[in-house]
Amino acid sequence: MDKLIMVTQNFPSGKSEVYLEREVDFFAKKYDEVHIYPINMVQGEQRKLPDNVIVHSLISDRSGKVNFSVIFRNQLLIAKILWLEFIHTKTKKFFITHLKTFLSELA
């Protein structure tokens, strides 16, 4: 079974990251399961997604508060995703800068 994991800022909630709408539809046809882990769960409407797309709460709940128990349960997954992103990116400095921003949002 082929699975794809996507970490997003807000998607599929909120109005940002509109480019992901097409990408998710494309990936849903290519993979058996697509798992989306939004950093922030924005209150309001969630975009419609194909049936094989599953949304998980990675860091925050719907109120926008950081859920440290979720981080603790998913720490290996988070570390693996960050490591893979780091070794595959061509712009390490850009990655590190954005990693600092990501980590500061947790504080």
Side-chain angles (χ1 to χ4, degrees), residues 14-91:
K15 295 182 180 178
S16 63
E17 300 172 305
V18 291
Y19 60 92
L20 287 175
E21 291 177 24
R22 280 194 206 169
E23 290 182 9
V24 167
D25 287 339
F26 173 80
F27 288 131
K29 293 173 186 169
K30 299 288 183 186
Y31 290 89
D32 298 321
E33 291 181 357
V34 176
H35 296 267
I36 300 177
Y37 290 85
I39 294 170
N40 299 303
M41 295 291 284
V42 177
Q43 291 181 341
E45 246 181 76
Q46 183 171 305
R47 294 176 178 102
K48 291 187 179 186
L49 300 170
D51 291 337
N52 64 330
V53 177
I54 304 159
V55 179
H56 305 272
S57 176
L58 179 64
I59 294 175
S60 63
D61 58 21
R62 292 197 179 272
S63 69
K65 295 180 182 175
V66 174
N67 186 341
F68 288 102
S69 66
V70 173
I71 295 172
F72 183 74
R73 284 194 316 264
N74 293 308
Q75 65 184 337
L76 292 177
L77 174 65
I78 295 168
K80 182 178 179 180
I81 291 169
L82 291 174
W83 176 249
L84 289 172
E85 284 290 323
F86 179 74
I87 62 173
H88 291 293
T89 187
K90 293 180 181 176
T91 55

